[in-house]
Amino acid sequence: MTPVTPPSPAREQEGTETAVDTAGSPATADAPEPAPATKDRPRPVAVPLGLLKAMRPRQWVKNVLVLAAPFAAGRLLDLTVLPDVALAFVAFSLAASGVYLINDTKDVEADRAHPKKRYRPIAAGIVPPTLAVVTGIVLFAAAIAVSFVADPDLALVTAIYIVVQLAYCLWLKHEPVIDICIVSSGFLMRAIAGGAAAGLYLSPWFLLTMAFGSLFMASGKRYAEMRLSERTGAKIRKSLERYSASYLRFVWSLSATIVIMAYGLWAFGIGVTAMPGRLPSAPSTWAIVSVVPFVIAVLRYAVDVDGGNGGEPEEIVLGDRVLQVLGLVWVVLMGLAVYTAVAH
């Protein structure tokens, strides 16, 4: 009898997607097999590589948000600020990776029933759950230690981030509304961390822009998960069972409206200086013009999410060239605005 060769992960996933598309239900969702790639690879090599993959280094790109506050203050190129901001990036990268490890360990059974998440190293059986938890704890300790090197305030922000995210992973991720707020708070705390590391005052309008921009992206991520479940029949998180597409669109509208208004008020304040006995100076023209690409980028992002193609915010940005161009234009305009304002 001819032995059957185990399929490769790519071929297995392709077969799963085909079954979903043609039959309308996930043929392998009930009893998916772990991805067998590690059988062809020496175990000592597979485990470290799987652990690194489970830490999701690709998603460290989110941590560039620690640059937002120093950039907006015109201090990003300040050599007295840049090293501490770099430490904030490292600290949040370590903390986020620790959260991913704990989260994937907690959700291992649910991930095995998911058409894509089943290939995550812990769900696929590559990384032992105990090793993932121990590594996560080590990463948390390292993140707080690195934060202390930069500034005690940064260490406090990092510790709050870890506690909130662990509460999300262990208890709150299935609570509707709360789950979206916690996900969006992660983006906000990254921006606050950059300001804490640099010792900067954070404008209320800057904080509102970051907060509701994060809420806009978080609700878009949930909508994308809902659309994926509708297309594949994959099991969805419990909190999504309480949502509807119309509700998530309401959250988009609310958050998009507030983020555009807050950004406009923030931009119109850049370059304005109050002088005793005289009218305040005029705002930066560059800052005013930057409102245009900002608004277009928000609308473009909404198109990507509404089409059901969205997911992680970094995946949307990296996959949309127009959005990248708009972001580059915005960065140039804001750079001219804040650095010419500082020069004067």
Side-chain angles (χ1 to χ4, degrees):
M1 193 171 188
T2 304
V4 178
T5 304
S8 66
R11 185 180 301 276
E12 184 181 348
Q13 188 170 11
E14 181 181 355
T16 302
E17 292 174 353
T18 303
V20 169
D21 291 339
T22 56
S25 61
T28 60
D30 293 333
E33 298 178 0
T38 54
K39 296 180 181 179
D40 301 329
R41 185 183 295 166
R43 188 69 179 177
V45 177
V47 174
L49 291 179
L51 188 61
L52 178 61
K53 183 179 179 181
M55 292 167 61
R56 305 185 203 176
R58 183 178 179 181
Q59 296 203 21
W60 291 349
V61 69
K62 294 177 182 177
N63 299 320
V64 298
L65 282 173
V66 301
L67 304 177
F71 173 72
R75 300 284 303 279
L76 186 58
L77 302 180
D78 190 335
L79 295 181
T80 63
V81 167
L82 193 57
D84 290 338
V85 175
L87 288 175
F89 178 88
V90 173
F92 265 77
S93 296
L94 294 172
S97 291
V99 171
Y100 293 139
L101 291 173
I102 301 298
N103 179 73
D104 289 356
T105 302
K106 179 71 167 54
D107 290 349
V108 63
E109 295 301 329
D111 287 350
R112 286 171 180 166
H114 193 279
K116 292 183 179 180
K117 295 180 181 179
R118 58 182 293 204
Y119 292 101
R120 289 177 174 176
I122 300 174
I126 300 173
V127 177
T130 302
L131 176 61
V133 172
V134 171
T135 304
I137 294 173
V138 171
L139 291 175
F140 293 150
I144 295 176
V146 169
S147 300
F148 264 115
V149 175
D151 191 284
D153 288 341
L154 174 61
L156 177 61
V157 175
T158 304
I160 292 174
Y161 170 82
I162 292 172
V163 170
V164 170
Q165 295 303 315
L166 285 178
Y168 170 81
C169 294
L170 301 177
W171 300 291
L172 300 176
K173 70 187 310 175
H174 300 308
E175 293 296 326
V177 180
I178 294 177
D179 70 312
I180 293 182
C181 292
I182 292 180
V183 171
S184 62
S185 73
F187 295 100
L188 176 61
M189 279 189 273
R190 287 172 169 89
I192 294 175
L200 299 173
Y201 167 76
L202 300 178
S203 163
W205 300 123
F206 170 81
L207 292 174
L208 282 173
T209 299
M210 296 304 304
F212 284 94
S214 301
L215 182 60
F216 178 72
M217 291 186 291
S219 59
K221 180 182 177 182
R222 287 292 178 266
Y223 181 79
E225 292 174 352
M226 180 179 292
R227 291 293 300 272
L228 175 65
S229 175
E230 292 173 351
R231 290 198 305 267
T232 67
K235 183 179 179 181
I236 62 176
R237 64 180 76 231
K238 292 181 180 179
S239 62
L240 279 178
E241 297 174 358
R242 300 275 300 275
Y243 291 131
S244 65
S246 60
Y247 174 78
L248 292 174
R249 289 193 181 96
F250 162 74
V251 177
W252 290 353
S253 301
L254 176 66
S255 56
T257 299
I258 296 178
V259 74
I260 290 174
M261 179 187 69
Y263 179 79
L265 292 170
W266 175 39
F268 274 76
I270 294 177
V272 176
T273 55
M275 294 171 284
R278 300 178 59 185
L279 292 174
S281 60
S284 169
T285 303
W286 298 114
I288 296 173
V289 175
S290 73
V291 175
V292 176
F294 182 86
V295 173
I296 296 175
V298 170
L299 298 177
R300 177 76 181 192
Y301 189 95
V303 167
D304 290 335
V305 172
D306 193 50
N309 301 318
E312 297 291 344
E314 67 274 12
E315 293 177 0
I316 297 176
V317 174
L318 294 175
D320 190 328
R321 295 296 183 188
V322 174
L323 200 56
Q324 293 171 16
V325 171
L326 289 168
L328 179 61
V329 172
W330 177 82
V331 168
V332 171
L333 291 173
M334 278 298 292
L336 290 170
V338 298
Y339 284 100
T340 55
V342 169
H344 286 85

